[in-house]
Amino acid sequence: MVFGSVGSSPLGSLSSQQAWDLANLYLDNAYNASDPRIALVLCHDTKVSLTQAKKVVKQTGNQTLNERIATTYIDLGALLKIHGHDNEAQDIYKKAAKLGGNVQSPPTRSRPTNIEHTSNRSSLLAEDPMDSGTTRPSPHDKRKQLQDVVTIPTHIFVENARPPVIQFKLPEADERLGSTLQLACCLGLLQASQSPDDILETSAQNWLQAIEKDTDEQDRLKTMATEVIRAFKRDEFKDAKAVAEVVCLAPVLEKDLFHDLLAEFYSGIDHSGLLKLHLLEGLAQLIQGADLGHLSADDLVKILGLLSIRLRDTHQQSTDQMHQLTLAVSHVLDAMADTKVTDLDREKLHEPLSNYLRELKRSSDPYLVYQAAYAYQALLCVPDNETKWQAAMRRTGKVVKGVSGLVSAVKGLDLNKFIEGLGDVQKGFEGVSKVVEIVQSAYNDVSTLAESGKGFLDSLKEGFSFDRKRDWYSALRGADVLIRDGELATFRELVCKAPCRRDPAFQWGVCQRLGEIATNSVWGPDTRRDAIAFLGVMYRNDEVWGQHASVKQWILSILMQLSTSSGTGFQLHASVADAMLQELETSGDDKQVLYQMSRKKALMSYPLKIAMPELGSPSLLDRVQNRPDVEGNIRLMRKLRTKERGNIMYIPPQAKSSLQAAYDTRFSLMERVKEILQGGQKVFLLHGDSGAGKSTFSRELEIDLWQSYRAKTGRIPLHINLPAIDKPEHDMIAKQLRKYDFTEAQIREMKHYRKFILICDGYDEIQQSHNLYMSNRLGQHGEWSAQMVISCRTEYLGVDYRDRFQPGDRNNLSDSLLFQEAVIVPFSIDQVHAYIRQYVSIHQPMWQMEDYKQALEVIPSLQDLMTNPFLMTLSLDVLPRMVDPGQHLSATQVTRVGLYDHFVEQWLERGKKRIGAKDLDRQSRVIFDRLSDEGFTQNGIDYLKRLAVAIYKEQGGKPIVGYSQFKDEGSWKDAFFLREDKQLLREACPLTRNGNQHRFIHHSILEYGLSLAVFDPQDETNITMPEAMDRRGSVASAMSIISEDGSDRKATASEQEPDINSPLVWRTFMNDCSFLQFLEERVKQEPLFKQRLFDYIEHSKRDKKWRKAAANAITILVRAGIHFVGSDLRGIQIPRADLSYGVFDSARLQDTDLRMVNFRGTWLRQTDLSRAQMAGAQFGELPFLTQGSMANSCAYSPDGKSFAVGLENSGINVYTTSNWERILTLSGHTSGIQRVVYSPNGDQIASCSNDGSVKLWNSETGSLQQTLTGHTAWIPWVAYSHHGKHVAFASGDGTIRLWDAATGDYRQTLSGHKAGVTCAVYSPNDQRIASGGYDLTVRLWNVEHGNCSHILSGHSSAIRAVAYSPRGNQVASASHDTTIRLWNVETGTCSYTLSGYIDAVVSIAYSPEGGQLVSGSRDGTVKIWDVETAQCRQILTGHKNSVKSVVYSPRGDRIATGSADMTVRLWDVSAEASRFISSGHSREVSSVKCSPNGDFIVSASPDTTIRLWDADIGVCRRIISGDISFVYEIALSPQGDLIASGSADGTVRLFDVKAGTCLHVLRGHSERVDCVAFSPLGDMVASASGDTTVLLWDVKTGERRRILDGHTDAALSVVYSPDGSRIATCSKDCTVRIWEVDSGTCSQILVGHTNWARDVVYSPQGNQLASAGYDTIIRLWNMGTGECWLTLTGHKDKVRTIAYSKQGDLLASGSWDGIVRLWGAATGQCRAEIQNIPGALGSVAWSTTSDENFLVTGSNDGSVLRWDVTEEGGLHKTRLRWLATNGTLAVTGASIQDARALSGVNKQLLKQRGAIGEPEHLLRETSKKLITMTSVVSQLKKSSSGMT
């Protein structure tokens, strides 16, 4: 019997009424049971209960109860009949008849089934499903209907009311607000502006109509709310009043502001030692009143975790604290249920919290017990992260749907739907266990009042369940929403209809809410009276509401609290409650004991929650409104700045995302900056060349922002000229505001309440390296709120410049997103024309628009200069005077320094005229006349030079000079600003003045003046300045200069010494690029200056006082392109010189001072560096690590301190990066290592191998921790998840498997690839995995569910590597099809395809910040790509075989590459930001040709450009680009006026050399064109293609004339015979064919090559043909016989290109072995070799004139080199003339014998690169010094003894 299992008292102790009630409860549940077995058990229990009731009735003679028992018997019999127990039913009917029941027509019901049975009510009170054929209800049905239709007196909650609010007078515009609640009301109305008019009162509608037109007032109100929250955040105490004030704003806050407030409460609770109850209460109310859209799952889980911890720590302490914590937990859980939070961590949060709440059931505080039960029910509605099968293993029973489905019903105010939702909750409780619970509750109902001795708390605990989800929680949530919205009539209906209305917990909650309505003064008197009446009804009507003692006692307790309340607004409900208590005192005999007990018992410890009253004095709002006015001063500042702008000329500039980005990726700078400012980024760096327009744009941006500024709420644009601020690294905003007369109070006000956009101009001019955003603490708590746009010259940035601008940590993803940058690009020709039009219109110069346009077209290099805005301004001003009358424009030479020369002269001349026209006083006139007589312009230039020198010498180059006559009296400034003659010169010079601050009109004018002080072509005597003090370093330092004998040497030069006072002598200028550029141009123009620079270098050999000058001098010469091949530089002292990308082949540098010299990319082949001081020398590269096997994979540890290499021989080497020594060798695999990777915390190394296993190693000890197996094929890839918990393997069996990294347990398999998987990586958030394989696809997997979300298709061959970008928005894939694809992970589309490799791409990696991608290929090259622009930034060459692995160091400053050549190379990419900008192609050079007249060289590349170089000096004169595909070959017409190109798109293009325009596009080939050739007359061009054909084209018409078809594979080369009658071709089919031009027939087939015949060329005489093959052989063919008469061997790799010299006596060949060989054409002997050319040779070409004999080479690193070829004594020699290169260090044959202080790393690097000799060891140097010191001491002793 079920009763026996649940009854706490014997059945015989029940009264007849109680036994009958219990029987009905059993019977009701029997009717509702879907399981017949449960129904029959309950029928039996009904029968037993009725027997007990009948027995007692006989004793009492209660006839009414007798009839009721008979009716129940009839219902029981009907149910037994339905279940097929007819005999038992008949016995029951007989018992009913004996009691007087009518059994003639017993009711019939359809039989319940366990499939169709549904109920909208609880198992206790649910309606029975009726058969469609039923004609009349049974007595059971009638009784049920009476119970279902619960009636409440009609006067209680008659209708819905408006939501309770405190009424306010709505403020006028700009009116002071009286309270924060008034502010909340206004903001709430603004949010309700889209609501129907009938919802709002008339006054509110009128106010809204007015306020919607006043956006300023709207902004004022919103800003005020923001400022109240800010004031709260700054409040140190945060007392209860402040908490109440901000909480009332919570429902109307914007999302971001709400999150700020939520975070403040969280932090306050988290960091407080003692629990602050008012903060806890505030957090609960904050969450309760929040917009659900403002509450994120992460926030709620985080808060719940904190409360759970505090709940645990506070347990068994104050019940006040426990109550507040439990209440807060309840609100958080409510919000989590409403926002559908899932996957609450069971172990860390869900299970511990539920245990704490269960423990609270034992509390002695009844309200705490209820609140814990409520919180527990809320917790049950938030699912944990337990999977279904785990739940099945842990517990039985059906999983019940949560409360989320109820929310929409509540919001829609559809009560029926809501109650239906409650039924859904209840459906989960089927089975015997649920029936037991229901019967237990029913028994409590009918027994508790009878057991008068049971206490309030005990009965309460019995009624509250902590075992499973109950529908009373959901019903109470709905009731809260209805009360909140004022729908009290609907609330009444919900309470009456709720299937859980007899549940004591539900009734407890309803009573509590009725008590709070009665207490809340914002409700009307009638409403509060109705609430009390409702409590009375629930107390009295036991038949409907049951008899649970805890509920009755709770009602009495509420009424007692209400009756004893005092104070304003409480008299009404106190009197009504007291009257109700008096009425209830006589309510029912069975309640008397309970009533008397409750009246004697003290009141509960917790009062009812009362709505927050209106705040009388909101201190936070007072603080906000009692602030100083700043708008007046802001308007004045705005007016002043707008006026200062004036009528300037402005052309909107364009920019690109980085220095390496292509020009055609440019964008509007103004639009981008505005977009970034709106997007919330914190720092925007704008950089570019000097004069690029950064300052002009900064001023224009400021004006634009002022125009859109909105008073009181807008972000204030503040332009800061950084050089004008003293120590801008601290408090620069306040310093700038003081300049505009803001008071300290106003500054404090703006700091706390306003936002700024800082426009900081001239970062390079302050000559500091501070991060101004961080040093000014911008954006930090309590500091200035600001975004920053900061400008800087690119040349000043140097290495790792992002650290000087990045807010926060650049390695932190969220911080890295706060920084953006752009580079101003030069003006386009259209922008130049637009600027000229403005200039002509405004200034009306001597020239007109057409004159300037003509000059642009004719004057060499002028167009390039005028793309710089400042240089264009200078050009337009001075061009008319630079052109001599009658001189043709093309004869005019215009240079940058020449423009400045003329500009300054013209400025001074105009200044002279302006001053001369003034009404000067007598003394001033005398001075002016004297200056004019002496030469006013020259005096002005002299003044400019002296001032520039003084600024650099006295101020370190800071450009602004502040001069106060009294403060600076007697200082160096007097010489420039005090004397009257200087004042006149100052007025005439290009200087500006702002108050007492003076500066040149542009920073470049200052640098120009300093350059004139170094060398002024108009004045051979340099400026005389006080002699500079010599700065000496420590003698003990390795950097000190100590002569071999230990003493300083005095210069003994007999010739005249250079100028000791030159700026070059007292300052180093290696980083002053603009200054150096002026001097570079002087070197090219002035031989005298060039010689003086050489003099400085020469004198440094004798005296160290010239070392700075010598270092500066050689730096300038190298930058000017001067080569030092074979120079005698022995003994020179040039510490810190910048020799990067210089050429010093065969130079003698013995005994030189080369400390800290920059040798990046320098050519030092066969250079003698013996005994040179080389401490701190920088080579821009690191030595490679030699391995004993192919380096298949390499990896940095997360901290960058160690480095692992996986080898093909199955070993793993681990190195320390401090000195690159090997520290561990890991052995255990039985086949080649495919990949090694460190765990995220660095304590583990994972390796995978062809042996099919993955091993996990201890990274510190090298011990093996785990071996993971399971795949059925080789494993090419292993990857850790970013949290380090999991490891993923990719396998050749087509799957990816996931394992637990700690335990080695298998977790999951991802299947879907149709072939082997080669790679797999986790996304940064670990939610996805990207994989690639041999099925040509990249797949994106959802890790949690194991499904494939995207299949990315596009590659035409196997995927070899994939990489996720650090931001997680992009995936890169590398393929055997030679391309890299960048995919958008959200859309699955390909954003970019990166191409340019000639073999498979097998490795890729993103840089740590995600802006770059490095890739490695089987062709041996490494390329660095710009991710945003998809442009190749750099090509790294040096590997001799496939690059199998690439990886960035954690800092991103180095790249490591592992190769099949058994080396790991380490590249210093941080040094890339040096001054060098590639002068060569960005990709391999595929073809070079010399012009017929020998004045220029043409090169072509797959980088889609054709470049024209000055043959004499190597300057690039023109770049032909545009609509050009990858260019594989070019040819020059015999006249030199046309260029033909063959491209990847199968076209041949003809270009006009002079104009650079495309004349024809010849289409006919179906595959790429590998070679083109002009006929000797230039009227025809031939093209050879991969489609196996050769086509002949008419140059003039572009028509195709003939097809030469015969090769069986791609035609690779074509050439005309010297007489034009024949054409020779070669092919991949290994043959050379000779064709007759007239007929197009093949006359000869030359066979002999065993691999591709790659190139073919006729001798100038035409009697000989040479062919080169990939078989490394060159064959010489006799054209008369067609026989191969000579084979040339010697190359060690494929021969790519050959060419005959002009005379035909020499044949040059270029090979992939990096060597050019010169062969005697008649003998076949090798006459000379050019070795160690960077990269494989792509093309060679001879000069075409007889004046000079030179050779041009093009390599696959993008470099073009010219070599002079001479013959001496029958021997040929080659000498490098110039090179245009991407920069590669070359030191083959360089001697470092006894080089001093050369670091071990640099020694290893140089030795690897081919240097010879052994440098002097530091110990040996130290020994020398010790010996010297010993001898000195000995001498001192001798001297001392002699004196005595």
Side-chain angles (χ1 to χ4, degrees), residues 1236-1281:
V1236 292
V1237 62
Y1238 278 88
S1239 62
N1241 62 7
D1243 62 351
Q1244 206 174 56
I1245 296 174
S1247 60
C1248 62
S1249 166
N1250 287 340
D1251 62 13
S1253 71
V1254 171
K1255 294 182 182 292
L1256 305 182
W1257 313 81
N1258 183 297
S1259 62
E1260 184 174 351
T1261 65
S1263 60
L1264 179 63
Q1265 296 177 330
Q1266 298 274 354
T1267 297
L1268 310 179
T1269 59
H1271 283 292
T1272 59
W1274 59 292
I1275 302 177
W1277 201 280
V1278 60
Y1280 278 97
S1281 60

Side-chain angles (χ1 to χ4, degrees), residues 1168-1450:
D1168 193 344
L1169 295 165
S1170 301
R1171 300 177 301 283
Q1173 274 279 6
M1174 301 189 72
Q1178 305 168 45
F1179 293 92
E1181 299 179 28
L1182 295 168
F1184 57 77
L1185 308 176
T1186 303
Q1187 308 297 314
S1189 180
M1190 289 192 294
N1192 290 338
S1193 179
C1194 46
Y1196 275 97
S1197 63
D1199 60 7
K1201 294 181 179 180
S1202 62
F1203 182 82
V1205 184
L1207 304 175
E1208 181 64 25
N1209 65 6
S1210 78
I1212 300 171
N1213 291 332
V1214 182
Y1215 298 83
T1216 175
T1217 58
S1218 61
N1219 56 13
W1220 292 101
E1221 291 184 358
R1222 187 166 62 186
I1223 55 177
L1224 289 173
T1225 298
L1226 311 182
S1227 301
H1229 283 288
T1230 59
S1231 187
I1233 306 296
Q1234 292 300 303
R1235 184 168 171 83
V1236 292
V1237 62
Y1238 278 88
S1239 62
N1241 62 7
D1243 62 351
Q1244 206 174 56
I1245 296 174
S1247 60
C1248 62
S1249 166
N1250 287 340
D1251 62 13
S1253 71
V1254 171
K1255 294 182 182 292
L1256 305 182
W1257 313 81
N1258 183 297
S1259 62
E1260 184 174 351
T1261 65
S1263 60
L1264 179 63
Q1265 296 177 330
Q1266 298 274 354
T1267 297
L1268 310 179
T1269 59
H1271 283 292
T1272 59
W1274 59 292
I1275 302 177
W1277 201 280
V1278 60
Y1280 278 97
S1281 60
H1282 288 78
H1283 55 49
K1285 296 179 180 179
H1286 303 144
V1287 180
F1289 312 162
S1291 172
D1293 63 12
T1295 66
I1296 303 148
R1297 296 195 179 205
L1298 312 185
W1299 303 74
D1300 188 291
T1303 65
D1305 294 338
Y1306 163 77
R1307 293 182 60 88
Q1308 192 177 3
T1309 297
L1310 307 179
S1311 301
H1313 279 285
K1314 306 302 181 184
V1317 184
T1318 58
C1319 46
V1321 292
Y1322 278 91
S1323 64
N1325 61 10
D1326 290 332
Q1327 294 178 5
R1328 289 180 174 179
I1329 285 178
S1331 63
Y1334 281 103
D1335 61 0
L1336 318 188
T1337 67
V1338 175
R1339 294 175 184 253
L1340 304 183
W1341 307 85
N1342 183 299
V1343 175
E1344 180 181 1
H1345 301 103
N1347 63 300
C1348 178
S1349 59
H1350 287 92
I1351 299 177
L1352 314 179
S1353 301
H1355 284 292
S1356 60
S1357 190
I1359 314 297
R1360 191 59 188 86
V1362 290
Y1364 248 107
S1365 67
R1367 299 181 184 181
N1369 61 334
Q1370 191 177 76
V1371 166
S1373 59
S1375 171
H1376 286 179
D1377 65 8
T1378 75
T1379 69
I1380 302 164
R1381 287 179 177 257
L1382 306 183
W1383 307 89
N1384 183 304
V1385 298
E1386 296 302 324
T1387 64
T1389 58
C1390 179
S1391 304
Y1392 293 109
T1393 299
L1394 315 181
S1395 56
Y1397 283 108
I1398 60 176
D1399 208 334
V1401 188
V1402 294
S1403 52
I1404 49 175
Y1406 279 94
S1407 60
E1409 80 282 358
Q1412 298 176 18
L1413 183 79
V1414 62
S1415 58
S1417 168
R1418 283 182 180 170
D1419 66 12
T1421 63
V1422 177
K1423 296 188 179 184
I1424 302 174
W1425 307 84
D1426 185 284
V1427 171
E1428 184 173 348
T1429 63
Q1431 299 296 312
C1432 179
R1433 298 182 61 173
Q1434 194 175 3
I1435 302 174
L1436 307 177
T1437 60
H1439 281 298
K1440 305 301 183 183
N1441 208 325
S1442 175
V1443 180
K1444 308 195 76 175
S1445 178
V1446 293
V1447 62
Y1448 273 93
S1449 65

Side-chain angles (χ1 to χ4, degrees), residues 905-1170:
E905 288 180 12
Q906 183 168 296
W907 185 286
L908 288 167
E909 289 171 5
R910 290 174 178 171
K912 174 186 175 183
K913 290 180 180 179
R914 185 179 64 255
I915 295 172
K918 284 185 176 182
D919 186 15
L920 301 174
D921 59 47
R922 182 180 178 187
Q923 183 178 0
S924 297
R925 177 61 66 181
V926 171
I927 295 173
F928 175 78
D929 290 341
R930 188 181 73 245
L931 290 172
S932 299
D933 291 342
E934 295 173 355
F936 190 92
T937 300
Q938 190 55 45
N939 275 314
I941 292 174
D942 184 64
Y943 175 86
L944 182 147
K945 291 191 294 186
R946 290 174 178 271
L947 179 58
V949 170
I951 287 174
Y952 270 87
K953 199 163 192 179
E954 304 295 341
Q955 297 190 162
K958 295 181 179 179
I960 295 180
V961 181
Y963 176 71
S964 170
Q965 184 172 349
F966 299 101
K967 182 180 177 181
D968 295 309
E969 183 177 2
S971 71
W972 65 271
K973 301 176 185 178
D974 279 346
F976 299 96
F977 301 102
L978 180 62
R979 290 170 45 186
E980 192 164 352
D981 59 339
K982 304 304 182 188
Q983 291 178 2
L984 292 177
L985 292 173
R986 184 196 70 215
E987 186 178 345
C989 274
L991 293 165
T992 62
R993 177 178 179 178
N994 184 6
N996 69 339
Q997 293 186 331
H998 306 264
R999 68 174 298 167
F1000 287 98
I1001 61 172
H1002 194 268
H1003 191 72
S1004 60
I1005 301 293
L1006 168 62
E1007 294 163 321
Y1008 166 76
L1010 187 67
S1011 74
L1012 284 180
V1014 173
F1015 184 83
D1016 183 355
Q1018 304 301 320
D1019 182 8
E1020 292 190 9
T1021 59
N1022 286 322
I1023 189 169
T1024 302
M1025 296 293 297
E1027 188 165 334
M1029 293 180 62
D1030 185 31
R1031 294 187 179 92
R1032 183 187 301 272
S1034 168
V1035 295
S1037 169
M1039 308 299 292
S1040 302
I1041 299 177
I1042 303 176
S1043 60
E1044 291 185 356
D1045 59 3
S1047 60
D1048 293 344
R1049 294 186 298 182
K1050 203 75 175 176
T1052 58
S1054 58
E1055 66 271 20
Q1056 182 180 357
E1057 289 188 341
D1059 180 12
I1060 191 63
N1061 296 314
S1062 169
L1064 298 182
V1065 177
W1066 45 263
R1067 177 185 170 103
T1068 56
F1069 292 97
M1070 290 26 171
N1071 296 321
D1072 295 280
C1073 298
S1074 181
F1075 164 74
L1076 293 176
Q1077 188 177 351
F1078 285 119
L1079 298 180
E1080 288 174 37
E1081 294 188 357
R1082 292 287 190 211
V1083 168
K1084 297 173 183 177
Q1085 297 171 358
E1086 305 290 342
L1088 177 60
F1089 178 50
K1090 178 179 177 181
Q1091 183 56 50
R1092 288 188 177 177
L1093 293 178
F1094 276 112
D1095 289 345
Y1096 282 124
I1097 297 172
E1098 186 65 27
H1099 277 73
S1100 75
K1101 295 179 179 180
R1102 308 182 184 95
D1103 196 327
K1104 67 179 181 180
K1105 72 179 180 182
W1106 302 107
R1107 60 189 179 189
K1108 283 185 181 178
N1112 285 319
I1114 199 167
T1115 297
I1116 295 167
L1117 291 169
V1118 168
R1119 290 175 62 100
I1122 305 300
H1123 292 176
F1124 291 83
V1125 177
S1127 299
D1128 184 0
L1129 301 174
R1130 288 174 294 178
I1132 65 172
Q1133 302 185 61
I1134 53 170
R1136 298 181 183 273
D1138 184 1
L1139 307 186
S1140 55
Y1141 311 104
V1143 180
F1144 289 84
D1145 281 2
S1146 303
R1148 287 178 283 176
L1149 285 166
Q1150 302 99 305
D1151 303 301
T1152 52
D1153 182 359
L1154 303 177
R1155 294 170 303 159
M1156 300 191 74
V1157 169
N1158 183 1
F1159 286 107
R1160 181 180 176 85
T1162 306
W1163 280 35
L1164 296 165
R1165 302 180 308 165
Q1166 288 81 45
T1167 301
D1168 193 344
L1169 295 165
S1170 301

Side-chain angles (χ1 to χ4, degrees), residues 570-842:
F570 291 90
Q571 295 88 345
L572 173 66
H573 66 63
S575 60
V576 174
D578 189 61
M580 178 62 68
L581 283 171
Q582 295 178 22
E583 181 181 342
L584 297 180
E585 187 175 2
T586 59
S587 177
D589 295 338
D590 54 351
K591 297 189 180 74
Q592 292 307 307
V593 175
L594 181 67
Y595 183 87
Q596 295 301 326
M597 182 178 62
S598 300
R599 291 290 282 178
K600 292 178 183 179
K601 187 177 177 65
L603 293 177
M604 293 182 60
S605 57
Y606 299 105
L608 293 169
K609 185 176 69 175
I610 301 174
M612 190 184 305
E614 181 177 357
L615 299 173
S617 177
S619 59
L620 295 178
L621 187 62
D622 283 344
R623 292 182 218 172
V624 168
Q625 295 187 109
N626 297 335
R627 301 199 313 262
D629 175 62
V630 296
E631 286 302 324
N633 291 66
I634 291 176
R635 285 193 295 271
L636 289 175
M637 180 171 66
R638 175 181 183 177
K639 183 178 180 180
L640 178 63
R641 292 298 300 165
T642 304
K643 181 179 179 181
E644 287 178 354
R645 175 186 181 273
N647 185 24
I648 66 169
M649 293 173 53
Y650 176 73
I651 298 295
Q654 294 183 310
K656 57 182 182 176
S657 60
S658 66
L659 280 171
Q660 291 74 22
Y663 181 74
D664 56 10
T665 63
R666 61 193 185 277
F667 46 79
S668 167
L669 179 58
M670 184 67 75
E671 292 179 6
R672 176 62 60 88
V673 171
K674 288 183 178 179
E675 176 185 325
I676 287 172
L677 292 175
Q678 290 298 322
Q681 279 87 354
K682 298 302 182 184
V683 176
F684 179 81
L685 170 63
L686 174 63
H687 55 106
D689 295 333
S690 172
K694 301 179 294 295
S695 297
T696 303
F697 172 78
S698 296
R699 291 191 295 269
E700 198 66 23
L701 173 63
E702 179 196 14
I703 298 304
D704 189 277
L705 293 174
W706 274 125
Q707 291 173 351
S708 59
Y709 170 74
R710 300 178 70 176
K712 302 181 181 179
T713 60
R715 294 173 296 176
I716 302 170
L718 186 64
H719 187 280
I720 301 178
N721 184 13
L722 291 174
I725 298 292
D726 182 38
K727 297 181 179 179
E729 64 272 19
H730 299 299
D731 210 19
M732 66 176 175
I733 300 179
K735 292 174 182 176
Q736 183 67 22
L737 291 174
R738 293 186 187 108
K739 292 175 179 271
Y740 295 104
D741 298 325
F742 283 88
T743 66
E744 294 305 311
Q746 289 175 319
I747 291 174
R748 286 194 299 272
E749 162 71 14
M750 298 170 79
K751 181 176 184 178
H752 291 155
Y753 297 104
R754 302 305 296 272
K755 294 182 178 180
F756 284 82
I757 297 176
L758 305 181
I759 306 167
C760 301
D761 188 31
Y763 180 79
D764 52 291
E765 297 180 31
I766 62 175
Q767 299 188 359
Q768 294 183 3
S769 58
H770 290 96
N771 185 320
L772 297 183
Y773 189 92
M774 299 300 293
S775 65
N776 280 274
R777 298 177 58 81
L778 302 182
Q780 299 185 31
H781 182 70
E783 300 294 338
W784 296 94
S785 176
Q787 294 170 280
M788 178 185 290
V789 178
I790 186 168
S791 67
C792 180
R793 292 189 190 185
T794 301
E795 65 199 42
Y796 182 79
L797 294 177
V799 178
D800 289 335
Y801 64 87
R802 285 179 64 105
D803 289 336
R804 287 187 269 170
F805 305 98
Q806 171 73 56
D809 182 3
R810 65 179 291 187
N811 294 319
N812 182 292
L813 176 59
S814 59
D815 286 346
S816 68
L817 298 177
L818 300 178
F819 172 77
Q820 294 286 332
E821 65 178 306
V823 185
I824 291 188
V825 300
F827 274 175
S828 66
I829 191 62
D830 292 336
Q831 287 176 304
V832 170
H833 289 163
Y835 193 94
I836 294 173
R837 278 191 293 271
Q838 282 192 28
Y839 179 84
V840 171
S841 174
I842 294 173

Side-chain angles (χ1 to χ4, degrees), residues 131-396:
D131 184 78
S132 59
T134 301
T135 58
R136 66 182 183 89
S138 70
H140 173 81
D141 294 329
K142 293 179 180 180
R143 178 170 51 78
K144 298 291 289 179
Q145 289 170 5
L146 289 174
Q147 288 181 330
D148 289 342
V149 184
V150 176
T151 59
I152 297 293
T154 56
H155 66 273
I156 295 177
F157 296 152
V158 177
E159 60 183 3
N160 292 329
R162 291 188 182 277
V165 294
I166 300 175
Q167 297 299 319
F168 301 100
K169 173 186 175 296
L170 296 171
E172 302 293 333
D174 292 324
E175 181 181 347
R176 182 183 178 90
L177 298 182
S179 71
T180 308
L181 286 173
Q182 185 183 17
L183 174 61
C185 180
C186 294
L187 293 173
L189 285 174
L190 284 175
Q191 293 179 0
S193 60
Q194 302 300 319
S195 303
D197 292 341
D198 58 356
I199 291 181
L200 301 176
E201 296 179 355
T202 304
S203 61
Q205 294 179 29
N206 294 337
W207 184 83
L208 268 179
Q209 290 175 1
I211 209 72
E212 286 176 346
K213 300 175 183 178
D214 189 348
T215 55
D216 287 341
E217 178 64 9
Q218 293 181 42
D219 290 340
R220 181 181 81 96
L221 295 172
K222 294 176 182 177
T223 302
M224 201 170 294
T226 302
E227 292 169 351
V228 167
I229 302 304
R230 288 180 179 173
F232 176 74
K233 293 171 68 175
R234 289 192 297 271
D235 190 350
E236 294 182 5
F237 301 102
K238 294 183 176 62
D239 58 15
K241 183 178 179 181
V243 169
E245 195 171 351
V246 294
V247 165
C248 75
L249 281 175
V252 295
L253 294 178
E254 299 291 339
K255 186 173 183 178
D256 290 343
L257 194 57
F258 175 83
H259 279 174
D260 288 346
L261 183 59
L262 191 65
E264 193 68 22
F265 273 90
Y266 180 93
S267 177
I269 296 172
D270 187 25
H271 294 105
S272 60
L274 297 175
L275 188 61
K276 297 180 180 179
L277 294 183
H278 62 280
L279 280 179
L280 199 58
E281 171 69 14
L283 177 63
Q285 295 184 38
L286 191 68
I287 295 172
Q288 189 179 32
D291 186 316
L292 285 180
H294 290 6
L295 292 169
S296 71
D298 290 342
D299 288 338
L300 292 170
V301 171
K302 182 179 178 182
I303 293 170
L304 184 61
L306 171 64
L307 296 179
S308 179
I309 293 172
R310 296 310 297 257
L311 188 65
R312 179 191 62 201
D313 295 343
T314 314
H315 197 43
Q316 303 298 339
Q317 296 182 23
S318 164
T319 53
D320 290 353
Q321 294 180 339
M322 294 302 299
H323 160 249
Q324 293 289 358
L325 274 168
T326 311
L327 179 64
V329 167
S330 299
H331 290 322
V332 173
L333 292 169
D334 287 346
M336 294 176 77
D338 291 345
T339 51
K340 303 179 182 179
V341 173
T342 59
D343 294 338
L344 198 62
D345 192 295
R346 164 160 290 280
E347 292 184 1
K348 293 183 179 179
L349 200 56
H350 199 286
E351 195 67 41
L353 181 57
S354 63
N355 290 335
Y356 299 149
L357 295 175
R358 284 195 190 98
E359 290 177 18
L360 291 179
K361 186 177 182 180
R362 297 195 296 268
S363 171
S364 61
D365 188 292
Y367 192 85
L368 187 56
V369 173
Y370 163 73
Q371 197 61 56
Y374 182 93
Y376 189 85
Q377 286 296 313
L379 179 61
L380 291 177
C381 289
V382 183
D384 58 34
N385 61 351
E386 194 173 61
T387 62
K388 291 182 179 180
W389 67 267
Q390 289 172 324
M393 293 293 290
R394 193 178 63 85
R395 63 173 183 263
T396 60

Side-chain angles (χ1 to χ4, degrees), residues 1174-1177 1179 1795-1806 1815 1818:
M1174 301 189 72
F1179 293 92
R1796 300 173 183 176
L1798 185 68
S1799 70
V1801 170
N1802 282 339
K1803 170 193 170 183
Q1804 186 179 0
L1805 168 69
L1806 297 179
L1818 286 176

